Amino acid sequence: VQMIMECVIPDDIAITGFLEACSSQEAFFHGKSVHSCCIGRYLDEVGCPLTSALITFYGKCGHLGEAIQILFETSKQDVVSWSALIKAHADLRHGEDAFRLFAQMECEGLKPDRVCLITVLDVCTCNSALHEGKHIHNQIVDIGVELDVVVSTGLVAMYGKCGSLEDACRVFECMDSRDSVSWNMMIGGYSNHKRPNDAINMFWAMVKDGFKPTKITYVNVLKSCTDSGLLEQGKKFHELIKKEKISDVFVGSALMGMYAKCGSLAKAQEVFDALQVRDVVCWNALQAGYFNHGYDEEALD
């Protein structure tokens, strides 16, 4: 407001920043006012950044109809504005619409870029859409970004979520550089699809490669120990957690679940008592452990 009062005309950067600040229901009216008053005349410029900024603004506020209208009323569309619309649908978990828009973009003769492919890959992961994910993988190879660490990690996540663990492993093995996220994706994929030995082996390979396990790493690998009753392996991970001085409610719940499932209720109680913060998941894990092993009074207490 002060800028306008001092007769300084906002440029693309100022308007884009303002729209980003207005990307919530509470500030929606202000963003819509800027759309109405300031930028309508600019939107037909090729590659105009305000088109994608507006689409993102409306999408984050949950107004997908207006976001779609912005794109299709713009005569000179580009892949950036299409990507913004696809991401708006993806963020609101409208997976089928995101796929439809991606296909429509391709029909318009626009070739997806790295950002667009990462967005659609995320949609494939959230929807366990293996067929679409493989199509995106082929396009990633075509434009030559398969070795990008973010893209590769996204592929590992997609294949892992879809249960195609051999494909996930192939992508992982071909990565030039890995980070803790990509390791966690592999461990989580094996854990979620009941391959505990592979998850545990991947954990130790991660440590050997010089990466420090995160809270997510421990939750995933403890889940493998829980599902397969691997108490001794679970104890080793517990020792590492204590050594790292990790005090986290999610890790604590995973530890309790592992000990309870394996019948080591005293250790489950010990972990519970040591937690500085507890949530309902922690209480449920301990209750279930006592109930499942016939200690009904302790569970009720």
Side-chain angles (χ1 to χ4, degrees):
V1 169
Q2 186 177 351
M3 184 179 189
I4 298 296
M5 289 178 65
E6 294 189 13
C7 299
V8 178
I9 299 173
D11 60 7
D12 290 355
I13 295 173
I15 297 173
T16 299
F18 185 77
L19 286 170
E20 186 175 343
C22 294
S23 296
S24 66
Q25 282 296 344
E26 293 78 11
F28 175 70
F29 172 77
H30 299 291
K32 193 169 178 63
S33 297
V34 168
H35 177 200
S36 301
C37 297
C38 298
I39 61 179
R41 64 185 180 276
Y42 297 124
L43 295 183
D44 270 344
E45 296 177 8
V46 177
C48 177
L50 298 181
T51 304
S52 57
L54 267 175
I55 291 170
T56 299
F57 158 70
Y58 280 116
K60 286 185 176 179
C61 292
H63 293 257
L64 291 177
E66 285 91 337
I68 293 170
Q69 187 175 354
I70 292 293
L71 180 68
F72 290 110
E73 286 183 352
T74 303
S75 60
K76 298 172 182 177
Q77 301 160 0
D78 62 3
V79 70
V80 177
S81 53
W82 275 96
S83 296
L85 187 60
I86 293 167
K87 189 175 190 315
H89 284 77
D91 288 344
L92 293 172
R93 296 293 184 260
H94 293 198
E96 290 300 321
D97 290 331
F99 287 136
R100 178 181 54 78
L101 286 166
F102 181 72
Q104 189 172 351
M105 182 191 80
E106 291 186 302
C107 288
E108 296 286 337
L110 292 170
K111 190 173 182 179
D113 60 8
R114 171 185 175 276
V115 174
C116 183
L117 290 172
I118 289 173
T119 298
V120 183
L121 193 59
D122 185 53
V123 179
C124 297
T125 304
C126 293
N127 291 272
S128 299
L130 180 59
H131 177 74
E132 290 83 356
K134 287 187 173 183
H135 173 62
I136 299 302
H137 190 175
N138 289 334
Q139 291 185 298
I140 286 169
V141 173
D142 286 343
I143 69 170
V145 294
E146 69 273 19
L147 296 181
D148 180 289
V149 65
V150 177
V151 174
S152 297
T153 301
L155 283 168
V156 170
M158 183 275 295
Y159 282 124
K161 179 71 182 295
C162 295
S164 186
L165 295 173
E166 282 68 31
D167 285 319
C169 191
R170 275 193 288 272
V171 173
F172 183 80
E173 292 296 333
C174 290
M175 292 176 71
D176 282 343
S177 61
R178 301 164 184 156
D179 56 15
S180 60
V181 177
S182 53
W183 282 100
N184 285 338
M185 290 297 178
M186 285 301 306
I187 294 168
Y190 284 131
S191 177
N192 291 331
H193 289 88
K194 312 298 183 187
R195 290 174 57 171
N197 292 329
D198 289 322
I200 291 168
N201 289 338
M202 189 64 70
F203 175 92
W204 294 118
M206 175 183 182
V207 173
K208 184 178 179 181
D209 209 32
F211 286 90
K212 186 177 180 180
T214 66
K215 295 171 184 178
I216 294 172
T217 316
Y218 283 115
V219 168
N220 282 330
V221 79
L222 285 168
K223 182 179 185 298
S224 288
C225 296
T226 303
D227 292 340
S228 52
L230 297 174
L231 178 59
E232 293 306 313
Q233 286 284 359
K235 286 181 177 179
K236 291 179 182 178
F237 296 129
H238 191 184
E239 289 302 315
L240 287 174
I241 289 165
K242 288 194 288 187
K243 184 178 178 181
E244 296 288 340
K245 297 181 180 179
I246 296 174
S247 179
D248 177 79
V249 67
F250 298 107
V251 176
S253 296
L255 272 171
M256 280 190 293
M258 184 273 297
Y259 279 125
K261 179 70 179 294
C262 296
S264 186
L265 296 173
K267 291 292 290 183
Q269 183 72 58
E270 180 184 314
V271 173
F272 180 84
D273 292 339
L275 283 174
Q276 296 177 354
V277 178
R278 300 164 184 159
D279 63 4
V280 70
V281 178
C282 296
W283 287 95
N284 287 346
L286 195 59
Q287 278 188 121
Y290 280 124
F291 268 126
N292 292 335
H293 291 280
Y295 293 93
D296 293 356
E297 289 298 325
E298 287 80 357
L300 290 168
D301 287 342

